[in-house]
Amino acid sequence: MDDIAADPSHPRYASLLMRHRLEVAAEKGMLAGSAMIAHGRGEAFDYLLGERTTTSALQATRQALATLQAAKKPVLSINGNVAALACDEMLRLANALSCAVEVNIFYRTPERMKAILDHMNERKHVLGLEVPVLGHAPDARIPGLEGPRAACHRDGILESDAILVPLEDGDRCQALVAMGKEVIVIDLNPLSRSAQQATITIVDELSRALGNMLDFTASEGTLEVDSDYNHIAVLEEGVNEMLNAFKRP
Ligand code: PTJ
């Protein structure tokens, strides 16, 4: 899938690969105008983390996976950046959870929706997965949100009880929490409104977090929800990891 000039032995290969994926997605018309800005902000926070998964991020990842596994009707939300960076991982995770993915974007245009849906369906076909890809025919709205970004599927986001929304915008995260859902965010910025408002926030790079979830699924099967999980305490550990960046060996 990735036709990238850089050598995998390059110390910054993972970062170069993600940038390459965004460039390809931009050419296909999948990305919002501000997608690169959002990515750059994420990269800056990842530098402070040392571009690695921290212990607290792993704790959040386990709780997120356990919560999705325990849900009656989980759904995985896809925006332009997520489709560009980690389409295959999202499809594989949905397959493992036997749930749908739903394309639901902030800067909604018919052209971008089509480009993202085409990409998701093409990758689903290549991977040979039977995952429902929603977003093509929204028949419901997220209460409390104005404009086209509220459009969603009744059988997907609207009726879900747990939702994974990587790189989410604060308003929509708040609206989903207000609907009583378990809202799981992946966001490298622990201070973002989404990170603060979600039920569970994984402060980690998107593809690393999804890779860890897939590894846990393969190695451990069904995980236990931790009833003592403390969202704010785990977030604070993420902030402390960044503040202590200079003290790391
Ligand atoms: O495709 P659309 O229209 O839905 O738009 C998608 C973007 C991401 C452009 C839109 O939702 C947006 O503007 O998002 P924000 O408000 O900039 O928030 C994105 C958050 O994701 C920021 O806090 C970044 O730090 C974080 N982030 C960016 N890249 C990654 C990331 N977190 C984890 N992994 C990444 N690769």
Side-chain angles (χ1 to χ4, degrees), residues 11-201:
R12 308 211 40 77
Y13 180 76
S15 168
L16 294 173
L17 178 61
M18 292 305 141
R19 288 182 175 197
H20 172 74
R21 287 182 181 173
L22 285 173
E23 283 172 25
V24 172
E27 278 164 22
K28 288 187 179 175
M30 290 163 55
L31 297 187
S34 59
M36 303 294 186
I37 298 169
H39 187 74
R41 179 156 54 184
E43 280 190 341
F45 282 106
D46 206 16
Y47 243 81
L48 293 173
L49 281 181
E51 294 175 313
R52 78 209 150 96
T53 300
T54 63
T55 305
S56 58
L58 214 52
Q59 189 188 351
T61 305
R62 293 186 69 92
Q63 182 74 353
L65 180 60
T67 302
L68 289 167
Q69 288 174 331
K72 285 199 179 69
K73 201 159 185 234
V75 68
L76 312 186
S77 181
I78 308 276
N79 67 21
N81 286 46
V82 174
L85 297 172
C87 171
D88 288 11
E89 290 88 341
M90 291 295 275
L91 287 168
R92 287 200 180 100
L93 182 61
N95 186 56
L97 293 165
S98 303
C99 75
V101 298
E102 180 165 341
V103 178
N104 189 257
I105 60 179
F106 186 77
Y107 301 103
R108 194 180 184 110
T109 64
E111 294 78 15
R112 283 193 62 218
M113 285 299 292
K114 180 176 180 331
I116 298 169
L117 283 162
D118 285 354
H119 179 69
M120 298 295 301
N121 281 313
E122 185 190 313
R123 292 305 303 166
K124 166 184 150 169
H125 181 70
V126 170
L127 296 173
L129 300 176
E130 291 299 321
V131 173
V133 176
L134 308 178
H136 53 288
D139 56 356
R141 295 184 65 77
I142 300 171
L145 279 185
E146 297 297 323
R149 68 193 167 134
C152 69
H153 281 233
R154 175 167 300 282
D155 193 33
I157 287 179
L158 192 83
E159 291 182 345
S160 64
D161 54 346
I163 179 165
L164 176 65
V165 278
L167 285 56
E168 180 60 314
D169 120 85
D171 271 7
R172 205 163 42 188
C173 180
Q174 191 171 21
L176 294 168
V177 171
M179 289 170 82
K181 301 181 192 303
E182 300 274 356
V183 179
I184 299 160
V185 160
I186 303 174
D187 193 330
L188 279 158
N189 177 5
L191 303 173
S192 75
R193 279 199 306 138
S194 305
Q196 301 279 328
Q197 287 164 356
T199 326
I200 302 164
T201 297

